[in-house]
Every structure is written in C-alpha cells, then in structure tokens.
C-alpha cells in the first residue's frame, strides 16, 4: 500500500538538560527566537501528508534550526572547540570563521580552540598543539583554500579523545566533515553520554559530492560544480579544436553523481555523462564505445563526463583495499576509459584526438565561491545556536529551503544518491541525448 513507503524516522534531538540562561541574543536579535516545537516537514508531497494523517500518523518533520531564547551553557564560563576532518573542501575556512565570529561576538564566548589536523589533534602523542581562535586570527581566511586547522583521515580512540576533552575543559565540540566524520561524531557522542559528560557534539556536513543522507545540500558542492563546469567547457573547446576530438573529464563522485550531472546541465556541452548510480556497457551495439563512434561520425567531436565511482564493475573482483577513512579505494575509471577509447579506435584504424582532464585536487583546494560562502555562514550560525542551547549528537541540515536539526544517527553511514528516475537524471538524458548506453 502507498503508506508503506512513508518510513518512520526518529527525529528527536538530544538535549543536555534544562536551559537555565537567557540568551545574550535577546539584546540584538529583536526577539526573533525559534522554539523547539517549530518543525519543518521532510516531504512537501500533499499525497504523502494526507496518507500519513489519514492513517493517524504525524508526517515526518524535523526540529527547525535557529536561536533559542534560553540556552544551556553560560557563555562566560565555557570553552568551545572546532575540528575539521577528512578531505579538503571549499568552504572549510568560511565555516571556521563564522563559528568563531558567532561564538565570540554574538554569544560572548571568549575561549575557542581550533583542534589541529583532525582527530589526531586530540591524541597527545601526535604532538599537535591546539590553535587559539579569535576574530583577529580568522579575519582574513575567507580567501584561503583548505583549512587553517589542517585535517587528517582515519579513526582515533574515542576514550582517548574524551580524556583530552575533559582535560581541556571543552564543553562544545563542532565537528566539520563528511560521512566518516559524522559517523565518528555520533560514536563520540555515545561515549560522551556513557561518561556522563555535559558536552555538546554538533556536526556540520561537508562533502563535495553532496551525498550526505537526508540533508539536501552540503557546503563545497556549489564551488565544485562551478569549477567542474569550467573543466567541461575546456574539454569541449579542446574537442572541437581537432578533427575527431574527444574531451574526457573525470570528476569527483565516489558513490553519487551529483557533481557530474549538475556540471553537465550547467554547461550543456557534454554528450555522455557516466555516474555510479546508472550502469553502462562499454562494448556492443548501444554501449559507450559504439555510441561514441556514432557521435564522432555525425559531429566530429564528443565530450564525456565521468564520475570517479562510475564503471567500477569493469575492474572485476574488488581487492578490498581501503583508505585511512575506511573508504574503498576506487580504480581509476578515467584512465581506464581513456585507454579503452584509444585502443578501440586504434584497432579500427581511426585516429582520434583525446584530451583528458582530471581537476579533482584543484577543486578541493579552492576557496569557496559566493554561494557556498553564504551557505557556510548559515550552517555555522545555526550550529552555534544549537550547541549553546545544549543540543548534541546532531548536525545542521537543509531541508525544503529551511535549516533543521538532524540526529546524527539518521545520517551517519548513509548516503544520498542521484535517482535514475528523477528529474535531475532525466534532464541529463534530455540534454546529452546519450540514451541508456546498455546492450540488450
């Protein structure tokens, strides 16, 4: 039945306790506070809402983000810390700066630490002394790529982290990262609760791939698409500049093809888009090589955009090798396709001009564009509001145009994917005209 596809989600946000302090924002915020009872619907589909209410259920909704009138922590007697983990991403410094400015100027928190080199910074043997963060320290970091705190990959002992949190007197920890970081934040929150510590752990979603579950957007994606679009434009220019020119661009997207699909729509010069969610065949009538040959015969040039996680089935058995963050190390689909295309046309005695572009690390190290910078400022401010109100084991998400509080348990270890039947992928198919690229 229809209502069976409306899942139950535990959207309750954990609180450290009663909020005993009046928010200092009452002097500057004009009384525009948000109550814990304010909710944002997960789905705006009227049929789902009617179905849920018709079954006597409450439609799934999330706690709205925003400043609370009363807060849990005394700003004058507390210490906050910020840690950035995982791969580099445009916007990390924007998040750091906005967190510091909101804590310091809006709430009056004068004791803020930056944990250096990810979770390694909590391990004393690693020797990474924390950075004292003030508005003066973060004043000019918006135009810098990367993160002034540094980063690292890989797990650390949660008991050791908690020991250091207690020794340092940290009461709020902002963890900025992707799936691995958010999973670690959730597990750390559980360890903190078992110890009975009054410490708020608040996550801020960071991933270029835009694939964190539930939330519709993570910072870094907008900048990544903008730069990826330049790569598509360059590949097209190179392809049309030579007879039988082929531009091949490998973009980020381990499990989800949002960057590849969105960049292709932004530039509309890609003829083939390959993403992890949609299988394709290489050989045979209807496959990629056959379709590429037809395209070159008709138009004399072609542009192919491939997400890094696409076509992993062509490499046979997985060897199970993982990186320090626990991610499976992918085979290089870009170089594989380059060799396969060149070999195919060479065997047929046809000369092509192959131009291969991989802008991955160039994109990761960029400063945020204007859109991402604004988004980062919203994420950071809402994270501070939530943490000061004693909310924990949560992240700030973005649903239906609104910022919300999401339990980390809903997002950790899960991913969002491009829906092959959804409007984004259908728009890609219409724009490229590539067909299914399957042999039947």
């Amino acid at each position: 039945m229809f209502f069976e596809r409306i899942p139950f989600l535990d959207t309750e946000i954990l609180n450290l306790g009663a909020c005993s302090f009046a928010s200092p924002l009452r002097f500057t915020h004009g009384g525009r506070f948000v109550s814990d009872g304010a909710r944002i619907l997960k789905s705006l589909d009227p049929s789902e809402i009617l179905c849920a209410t018709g079954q006597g259920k409450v439609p799934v909704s999330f706690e709205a983000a925003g400043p609370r009138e009363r807060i849990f922590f005394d700003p004058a007697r507390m210490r906050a810390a910020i840690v950035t983990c995982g791969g580099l991403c445009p916007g990390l410094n924007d998040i750091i700066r906005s967190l510091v400015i909101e804590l310091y100027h809006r709430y009056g928190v004068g004791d803020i630490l930056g944990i250096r080199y990810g979770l390694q910074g909590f391990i004393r043997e690693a020797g990474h002394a924390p950075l004292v963060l003030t508005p003066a320290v973060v004043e000019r970091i918006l135009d810098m790529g990367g993160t002034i705190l540094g980063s690292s990959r890989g797990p650390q002992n949660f008991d050791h982290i908690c020991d250091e949190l207690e020794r340092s007197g940290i009461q709020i920890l902002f963890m900025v990262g992707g799936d691995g970081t958010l999973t670690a934040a959730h597990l750390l929150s559980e360890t903190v609760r078992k110890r009975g510590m009054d410490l708020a752990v608040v996550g801020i979603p960071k991933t270029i791939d835009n694939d964190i579950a539930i939330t519709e957007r993570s910072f870094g994606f907008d900048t990544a698409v903008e730069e990826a679009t330049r790569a598509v434009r360059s590949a097209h220019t190179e392809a049309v500049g030579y007879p039988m020119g082929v531009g091949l661009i490998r973009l980020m997207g381990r499990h989800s093809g949002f960057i590849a699909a969105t960049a292709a729509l932004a530039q509309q010069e890609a003829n083939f888009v390959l993403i992890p969610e949609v299988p394709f065949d290489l050989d045979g009538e209807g496959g990629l090589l056959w379709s590429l040959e037809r395209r070159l015969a008709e138009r004399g040039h072609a542009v192919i955009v491939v997400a890094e996680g696409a076509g992993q089935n062509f490499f046979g058995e997985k060897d199970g090798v993982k990186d320090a963050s626990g991610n499976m190390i992918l085979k290089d689909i870009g170089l594989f396709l380059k060799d396969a295309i060149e070999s195919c046309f060479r065997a047929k005695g046809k000369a092509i001009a192959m131009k291969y572009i991989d802008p991955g690390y160039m994109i990761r190290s960029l400063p945020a564009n204007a859109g991402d910078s604004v988004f980062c400022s919203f994420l950071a401010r809402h994270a501070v509001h939530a943490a000061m109100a004693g909310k924990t084991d949560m992240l700030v998400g973005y649903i239906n145009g609104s910022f919300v509080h999401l339990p980390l348990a809903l997002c950790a270890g899960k991913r969002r994917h491009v829906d092959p039947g959804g409007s984004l992928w259908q728009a890609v198919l219409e724009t490229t005209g590539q067909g299914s690229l399957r042999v039947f």
Side-chain angles (χ1 to χ4, degrees), residues 165-345:
L165 287 167
E166 285 189 301
R167 278 194 295 263
S168 301
I170 294 169
Q171 294 171 285
I172 291 177
L173 176 61
F174 298 100
M175 295 185 65
V176 189
D179 177 64
T181 303
L182 298 179
T183 299
H186 177 53
L187 296 174
L188 178 60
S189 297
E190 292 183 336
T191 305
V192 165
R193 284 200 298 279
K194 288 176 183 176
R195 288 196 176 198
M197 298 167 61
D198 280 340
L199 188 149
V201 179
V202 175
I204 299 177
K206 173 226 73 176
T207 170
I208 280 179
D209 293 348
N210 202 34
D211 62 350
I212 293 176
I214 307 296
T215 184
E216 295 171 2
R217 181 179 172 187
S218 57
F219 74 86
F221 175 71
D222 195 55
T223 307
V225 169
E226 184 176 298
E227 193 65 17
T229 300
R230 292 193 181 98
V232 175
R233 186 183 305 126
S234 297
H236 179 261
T237 300
E238 288 285 349
V240 298
Y242 296 85
M244 297 286 280
V246 178
L248 174 61
I249 312 103
R250 176 183 179 267
L251 297 175
M252 293 81 68
R254 292 179 56 83
H255 304 281
S256 304
F258 288 106
I259 292 180
T262 308
L265 290 177
Q267 191 59 30
Q268 298 197 19
E269 288 173 341
N271 309 114
F272 303 96
V273 179
L274 313 172
I275 62 174
E277 296 90 337
V278 181
F280 65 96
D281 292 318
L282 195 61
D283 300 302
E285 184 173 340
L288 175 63
L289 294 176
W290 180 86
S291 300
L292 176 60
E293 187 174 8
R294 288 189 61 190
R295 162 75 192 185
L296 289 174
E298 293 171 1
R299 301 295 300 276
H301 70 277
V303 175
I304 305 169
V305 176
V306 58
E308 61 183 315
Q312 293 298 303
N313 55 294
F314 295 121
F315 298 101
E317 293 295 322
K318 301 289 190 302
D319 54 20
V321 178
K322 298 182 178 180
D323 64 18
S325 296
N327 299 312
M328 193 71 67
I329 296 178
L330 301 175
K331 302 297 184 181
D332 195 324
I333 186 62
L335 292 178
F336 172 83
L337 287 179
K338 177 179 180 295
D339 292 341
I341 292 168
E342 289 177 331
S343 297
C344 172
F345 283 90

